[in-house]
Amino acid sequence: MSMSIAAQPNLTMQSLWEATKPHIESDDFEADARYDEVIVGAGITGLVTALLFARAGRRVAVLEARHVGAVTTGNTTAKISVLQAARLQDVLDHNTKAVAQAYVEGQLEGLEWIVRYCRDHDVPVQRKDSITYATTFEGAKVVDRGFHVAQKLGLPVERLEDAGLPFPTTAAIRLRDQAQFHPLEFLAALVADIRRHGGVVIEGVRVTKVKASAKPVMVGSNRGEVYADHVIVATGMPILDRGLYWAKETPKRSYAVSFRAPGQRPDGMYISVDQPTRSIRSYGDDQLIIGGNGHVVGRHEDSTTGRVEDLVTWTKENFPGAEPTNAWSAQDYEPPHKVPFVGWMPRGRGRVFLATGYNKWGMTNAVAAALTLAGDILGGHVTWAKVLRRRITLPKTIAEGIGANLAVASWYARGWWRALARLQPVEAPEEGQGVLGREGLRPVAKSTVDGMTCALSAICPHQHAIVQWNDAERSWDCPAHGSRFAADGSLLEGPSIKPMKRLDVG
Ligand SMILES: Cc1cc2nc3c(=O)[nH]c(=O)nc-3n(C[C@H](O)[C@H](O)[C@H](O)COP(=O)(O)OP(=O)(O)OC[C@H]3O[C@@H](n4cnc5c(N)ncnc54)[C@H](O)[C@@H]3O)c2cc1C
């Protein structure tokens, strides 16, 4: 998606990665084809998984609704790090020490797999130190605990007196020798490699149905049906309702801006523990990337454009002379135990698998998931993956799950109330805006984008919450489970498999 931000007319909403990506061709769709494995989704999870199967001599097809990397992987910040802000203590707080240890082992294997793969396939990758820092007294306590937890889990972290940032910090810890790359250069290499091993990667195929009771499994899509022994759902939030993952995970969106900032970029990859988050890395000779200002998808009272502009203001204050080049946004899913869901899907008869819930640390987690799934289906022995499965639900996780579901319920009520409380007819909003209202008892979402006004039913087709306008991306976003739709109602991402209903066409 490419559009400009009001206060920064030269700044387009398109990721630096999408703007500089290598060309990737699609293979042709063949209706009724038979594969060993069908992988749904061509992000990092789907493509690494597909490659592992293709290398094992299996006939694989990756079916991608949009284009390779279109959703989160093409809009990430692509830091490949085992030190993950406060994530390790979160994992330890919600699980046993053995599970937290296994989580770290999976991350280390993911990191090394990516670095090795990039070196072997001429994908540029830079080894960088990963630094977690705080700017407040409270944040310093979080960083301090992070230091002890990382040490307890065997990571050689160090405390830093000077974080190497151009503003004061209250604490910082470092894990050396992590990595960063251009995520779409990595995906392009994976696609080429999958093809070399006889697999296909097909864009523009939206999977809408998986019939696991049939053998082989039937995979239905907008282009027709195909068949496979196994289906792996690698769509971020799983598209199928089996397992109700959309009711268990919290969809979290956040923003990033790249800047031309020659000569004043810190060398490492940074992330703050204080809110709003600031994620910092470099790219190429002169680019600086700053991420942050996240929120649960669709749950914001303010303008999302304001969140992008705030990143620009913050960066210009802290890195004088930095000039924004690209802005973007993406979402990822937070699981209740803070450890991803990876494995067979409930009611999938042992033939349908999934991987989801990386909570913004998906580079290493996607590879760990792919290695786990390959072990499950091809029969390998991945020790840490087995320990991760021995997860138990602690009372803290249950309490947080209740809180998360109450928050979803309150957003349902708030959305319906707001739409129905509005008595006057819904007028066409000004350019770049969307408004909610009603016609009779029907909630209506009306937007004007590029001079075109569209009227849609404001009810999310997934689970019937009322959508919310996102002005930075000119999209309708669902506050309940994170489905997102373009201004014309077409589906962008999330658990929905249907577009929003148009009210202004026959
Ligand atoms: C702002 C942000 C910054 C981040 N930064 C980092 C970072 O620095 N380091 C890190 O490790 N992680 C980071 N992450 C997390 C990481 O980017 C993600 O976890 C990872 O990219 C997820 O990859 P995926 O393959 O699971 O999902 P995706 O990349 O979203 O791929 C899923 C694919 O499935 C396709 N799809 C969906 N539905 C269908 C369907 N019905 N049929 C066919 N295809 C379908 C989609 O079009 C999409 O291409 C960040 C996340 C965000 C949101």
Side-chain angles (χ1 to χ4, degrees):
M1 194 182 316
S2 169
M3 58 188 64
S4 62
I5 293 288
Q8 306 280 338
N10 297 324
L11 185 59
T12 54
M13 271 312 262
Q14 183 189 39
S15 77
L16 176 62
W17 320 124
E18 281 284 349
T20 56
K21 70 178 175 186
H23 177 71
I24 302 175
E25 295 268 343
S26 172
D27 290 303
D28 292 333
F29 181 79
E30 194 192 323
D32 300 320
R34 173 79 161 81
Y35 301 99
D36 294 325
E37 274 79 34
V38 161
I39 288 107
V40 189
I44 183 170
T45 308
L47 293 175
V48 176
T49 307
L51 178 62
L52 297 182
F53 283 98
R55 276 178 177 174
R58 313 278 296 183
R59 189 154 185 256
V60 302
V62 182
L63 305 182
E64 165 56 47
R66 294 170 62 184
H67 59 264
V68 169
V71 178
T72 309
T73 308
N75 294 283
T76 179
T77 44
K79 295 147 104 184
I80 312 158
S81 176
V82 181
L83 188 65
Q84 303 175 345
R87 177 73 178 273
L88 298 183
Q89 53 252 55
D90 250 6
V91 170
L92 187 61
D93 288 346
H94 291 78
N95 297 281
T96 59
K97 182 173 175 227
V99 167
Q101 188 73 62
Y103 177 81
V104 166
E105 282 166 31
Q107 304 306 295
L108 287 168
E109 197 158 332
L111 165 73
E112 291 313 324
W113 193 98
I114 293 178
V115 170
R116 208 171 40 242
Y117 186 87
C118 289
R119 298 238 158 110
D120 290 350
H121 294 83
D122 294 328
V123 179
V125 61
Q126 302 87 44
R127 298 273 354 205
K128 295 276 176 190
D129 294 348
S130 179
I131 295 138
T132 302
Y133 72 91
T135 51
T136 64
F137 179 65
E138 282 307 306
K141 289 197 239 167
V142 178
V143 171
D144 190 52
R145 170 127 200 272
F147 176 77
H148 291 293
V149 167
Q151 273 202 327
K152 186 172 172 170
L153 298 174
L155 295 175
V157 277
E158 306 157 68
R159 290 183 197 275
L160 292 181
E161 284 302 318
D162 176 2
L165 288 167
F167 49 83
T169 53
T170 51
I173 55 173
R174 168 171 68 192
L175 184 62
R176 289 184 187 272
D177 240 1
Q178 306 301 292
Q180 62 180 28
F181 63 0
H182 184 313
L184 297 182
E185 287 177 352
F186 179 59
L187 296 198
L190 293 171
V191 170
D193 208 3
I194 291 167
R195 288 194 179 127
R196 266 196 301 278
H197 287 86
V200 290
V201 179
I202 312 166
E203 299 179 325
V205 183
R206 186 169 288 283
V207 171
T208 49
K209 190 175 177 183
V210 173
K211 195 168 165 199
S213 57
K215 204 171 173 196
V217 180
M218 187 279 279
V219 181
S221 79
N222 59 336
R223 306 272 295 276
E225 294 171 0
V226 295
Y227 298 85
D229 290 345
H230 304 109
V231 175
I232 292 144
V233 178
T235 55
M237 176 65 85
I239 48 157
L240 307 175
D241 278 349
R242 298 178 174 96
L244 303 183
Y245 291 93
W246 44 263
K248 296 175 184 160
E249 298 192 309
T250 307
K252 295 197 164 171
R253 200 151 185 90
S254 114
Y255 302 84
V257 181
S258 57
F259 297 82
R260 200 158 290 118
Q264 50 167 331
R265 303 174 307 159
D267 189 48
M269 306 181 298
Y270 290 80
I271 191 147
S272 70
V273 293
D274 295 299
Q275 295 300 318
T277 303
R278 292 290 177 255
S279 167
I280 305 171
R281 66 161 278 192
S282 59
Y283 172 68
D285 292 337
D286 65 353
Q287 293 275 341
L288 172 68
I289 300 168
I290 306 291
N293 286 353
H295 55 83
V296 177
V297 178
R299 295 187 207 168
H300 48 86
E301 299 294 350
D302 55 346
S303 138
T304 48
T305 298
R307 291 182 183 236
V308 176
E309 287 168 355
D310 178 65
L311 283 180
V312 174
T313 306
W314 182 88
T315 307
K316 287 186 161 189
E317 275 167 20
N318 288 291
F319 299 91
E323 277 308 317
T325 58
N326 288 74
W328 64 98
S329 176
Q331 69 198 43
D332 207 2
Y333 301 93
E334 180 174 18
H337 306 82
K338 318 300 171 192
V339 169
F341 291 107
V342 183
W344 52 265
M345 227 174 182
R347 296 189 291 116
R349 312 254 176 137
R351 297 175 204 136
V352 184
F353 294 76
L354 85 159
T356 182
Y358 307 151
N359 197 14
K360 298 189 190 160
W361 291 102
M363 303 295 105
T364 45
N365 266 304
V367 177
L371 293 167
T372 305
L373 293 169
D376 284 347
I377 297 172
L378 300 173
H381 186 74
V382 185
T383 315
W384 47 260
K386 288 199 167 35
V387 178
L388 284 174
R389 296 243 165 88
R390 282 190 229 126
R391 199 171 56 203
I392 48 169
T393 303
L394 302 177
K396 182 179 173 70
T397 307
I398 296 173
E400 287 173 3
I402 293 169
N405 281 309
L406 288 175
V408 170
S410 99
W411 277 89
Y412 264 96
R414 196 185 306 203
W416 277 90
W417 166 251
R418 278 190 186 163
L420 296 183
R422 211 187 140 118
L423 295 176
Q424 62 276 51
V426 198
E427 301 290 341
E430 61 188 53
E431 175 60 32
Q433 294 306 319
V435 286
L436 292 172
R438 66 174 163 124
E439 281 168 9
L441 280 180
R442 184 159 61 183
V444 176
K446 208 175 253 188
S447 65
T448 307
V449 168
D450 296 335
M452 207 167 83
T453 297
C454 275
L456 309 167
S457 160
I459 305 172
C460 175
H462 176 237
Q463 293 292 322
H464 316 299
I466 301 295
V467 292
Q468 171 102 341
W469 183 246
N470 168 347
D471 62 344
E473 297 177 89
R474 299 177 187 188
S475 61
W476 292 107
D477 299 0
C478 179
H481 307 111
S483 294
R484 295 184 57 247
F485 308 86
D488 66 0
S490 55
L491 178 56
L492 293 173
E493 65 183 302
S496 184
I497 47 171
K498 292 188 200 142
M500 284 170 73
K501 187 165 188 276
R502 279 196 77 152
L503 300 178
D504 50 2
V505 287

